[in-house]
Amino acid sequence: MSLLAALTAAGPSPSPVPSESPTVSVPSLQDAQESANQAASWVEQNWSTWLAIGLRVVLVVFIALVLRVAVRRAITKLIDRMNRTAQQGGGTALGGLLVNAERRRQRSSAIGSVLRSVASFLIMGTAALMVLATFQINLAPLLASAGVAGVAVGFGARNLVTDFLSGVFMILEDQYGVGDTIDAGVASGEVIEVGLRVTKLRGDSGEIWYVRNGEVKRIGNLSQGWATAGVDVTVRASEDLDKLKATLTEVAEKMSKEEPWNELLWSPIDVLGLDSVLIDSMVVRLSAKTMPGKSTAVERELRWRVKRAFDAADIRIVGGATAPADEEAPDPMATVAAPSVFANPASPQTDAATAIPPQQGPAGK
């Protein structure tokens, strides 16, 4: 079969048909009316539910705000009452020394700040959870995630949490405050600032120590209550005990009556007696209660007065490598040898030691 016969049998090829354009459906007025009717019907059926949810949210937020303001105001009044009580208790000399104005202010400010922050967090956090529950949101995954995140943060920032909790309990228990001299183990000095995480100390040489509250294992407060001034005097064992006691008693009574020592001394200076007796010496102890932080000054003044009184009463203080009182100064010429008689060529000893010259015989022999 030829190619022409094949083409003839196939018939004419179909011509391309143009594609029809899609028809765009335009909503009619009836469709729009039906949609509006459905929306109105949905709103009519659910408006009471949404209104109830909205009113519940507003009520929860309003109650939370009112409760927050009331609690914060109550905390402020409580702190003010604590300050007034401390001021009334500070009418005495001891009370005024234990708690000063700056210390009360910082302590009250720290306690009030912590309590207000905790109250605000609890109230507003509870209100937020109640609002989410009002919208029928499942809080179980949220609480679980928050718990896991809290555990992770607790492990990662455990030092920070330890410092914060230690600072809170330190302030609540009033372990120390501004102006106190403390020994915190890792550092010692005067407290110049108290914080929830760090306490600032001024050292004896003027340096500033930043001590983390969580690192403090024990605290020695040298500014609360009273301090003890103790002086030990070492004298010879041969001294008259009655004379010694009378001299020390006179010094103690005179110092207790003079200013400003009569204000720093909170008890009479007691001559406690012999603290120890050795072969060649004995130790007499004096003690007195003083104002906190003033024991060193009292001890120095007491030693000064005891030394002057002992010099006037011819009582010798001994101790350490001291020289005997009756020892005379060494003679500087004691170690110099006496001059030799042989140094003088005209002395008889020199003539006697001179060799006899040899004698010569007559000439020619």
Side-chain angles (χ1 to χ4, degrees), residues 15-69:
S15 62
V17 179
S19 61
E20 298 180 357
S21 60
T23 58
V24 179
S25 61
V26 178
S28 61
L29 181 59
Q30 185 178 0
D31 295 337
Q33 186 176 1
E34 290 180 357
S35 300
N37 291 335
Q38 292 178 0
S41 175
W42 183 86
V43 170
E44 184 180 1
Q45 293 176 359
N46 297 281
W47 73 270
S48 58
T49 304
W50 286 102
L51 181 60
I53 293 176
L55 292 177
R56 189 178 302 175
V57 170
V58 172
L59 183 61
V60 168
V61 173
F62 176 76
I63 293 177
L65 293 177
V66 172
L67 185 60
R68 178 175 177 269
V69 172

Side-chain angles (χ1 to χ4, degrees), residues 303-344:
R303 292 191 188 99
W304 183 280
R305 291 172 180 262
V306 168
K307 179 62 173 62
R308 295 181 61 180
F310 279 9
D311 292 342
D314 195 19
I315 299 176
R316 183 163 175 262
I317 299 177
V318 297
T322 56
D326 54 353
E327 183 179 352
E328 297 180 357
D331 186 5
M333 300 301 295
T335 58
V336 180
S340 176
V341 294
F342 296 100
N344 187 5

Side-chain angles (χ1 to χ4, degrees), residues 5-361:
L7 293 175
T8 304
S13 61
S15 62
V17 179
S19 61
E20 298 180 357
S21 60
T23 58
V24 179
S25 61
V26 178
S28 61
L29 181 59
Q30 185 178 0
D31 295 337
Q33 186 176 1
E34 290 180 357
S35 300
N37 291 335
Q38 292 178 0
S41 175
W42 183 86
V43 170
E44 184 180 1
Q45 293 176 359
N46 297 281
W47 73 270
S48 58
T49 304
W50 286 102
L51 181 60
I53 293 176
L55 292 177
R56 189 178 302 175
V57 170
V58 172
L59 183 61
V60 168
V61 173
F62 176 76
I63 293 177
L65 293 177
V66 172
L67 185 60
R68 178 175 177 269
V69 172
V71 171
R72 291 174 66 92
R73 186 169 300 178
I75 293 174
T76 303
K77 291 183 178 180
L78 177 62
I79 298 301
D80 294 340
R81 182 176 298 177
M82 290 173 56
N83 288 334
R84 289 195 298 268
T85 304
Q87 292 175 0
Q88 292 175 0
T92 61
L94 180 61
L97 289 170
L98 290 180
V99 184
N100 54 35
E102 181 64 17
R103 175 176 176 176
R104 281 197 305 269
R105 187 191 66 79
Q106 286 207 9
R107 180 169 177 262
S108 302
S109 176
I111 294 176
S113 177
V114 171
L115 294 179
R116 282 190 289 267
S117 299
V118 171
S120 299
F121 177 77
L122 292 178
I123 294 173
M124 300 310 295
T126 304
L129 293 178
M130 293 179 65
V131 169
L132 293 178
T134 303
F135 287 101
Q136 297 181 356
I137 297 176
N138 189 9
L139 300 179
L142 180 62
L143 295 178
S145 302
V148 173
V151 172
V153 172
F155 277 107
R158 57 184 181 274
N159 292 331
L160 182 61
V161 175
T162 302
D163 297 340
F164 181 81
L165 293 179
S166 299
V168 170
F169 283 105
M170 178 271 299
I171 293 176
L172 292 177
E173 296 172 1
D174 194 19
Q175 298 177 6
Y176 56 84
V178 175
D180 289 350
T181 301
I182 66 171
D183 181 4
V186 294
S188 60
E190 181 182 356
V191 180
I192 59 177
E193 185 177 342
V194 177
L196 293 176
R197 193 181 69 86
V198 175
T199 298
K200 294 172 63 175
L201 303 178
R202 174 77 67 178
D204 296 334
S205 301
E207 69 276 9
I208 296 180
W209 297 97
Y210 294 85
V211 181
R212 290 170 45 195
N213 296 328
E215 295 294 329
V216 178
K217 303 303 180 182
R218 53 97 175 160
I219 297 174
N221 196 323
L222 308 179
S223 300
Q224 286 185 350
W226 43 266
T228 301
V231 175
D232 293 336
V233 183
T234 306
V235 297
R236 294 179 297 188
S238 59
E239 294 290 346
D240 186 2
L241 293 178
D242 294 334
K243 179 181 178 181
L244 181 64
K245 184 176 181 180
T247 303
L248 293 176
T249 303
E250 182 181 358
V251 171
E253 292 178 353
K254 185 177 180 181
M255 182 176 175
S256 300
K257 296 178 181 178
E258 293 182 358
E259 294 183 355
W261 310 110
N262 56 353
E263 297 180 358
L264 301 182
L265 290 170
W266 286 6
S267 69
I269 301 177
D270 296 330
V271 182
L272 301 180
L274 293 177
D275 189 65
S276 63
V277 179
L278 304 177
I279 297 176
D280 56 349
S281 64
M282 55 185 177
V283 179
V284 183
R285 179 178 290 273
L286 294 84
S287 177
K289 291 183 179 180
T290 67
M291 181 185 298
K294 302 298 181 181
S295 59
T296 303
V298 173
E299 290 174 355
R300 292 172 179 171
E301 180 67 18
L302 186 57
R303 292 191 188 99
W304 183 280
R305 291 172 180 262
V306 168
K307 179 62 173 62
R308 295 181 61 180
F310 279 9
D311 292 342
D314 195 19
I315 299 176
R316 183 163 175 262
I317 299 177
V318 297
T322 56
D326 54 353
E327 183 179 352
E328 297 180 357
D331 186 5
M333 300 301 295
T335 58
V336 180
S340 176
V341 294
F342 296 100
N344 187 5
S347 63
Q349 291 82 358
T350 304
D351 293 340
T354 303
I356 300 176
Q359 296 181 359
Q360 298 180 357

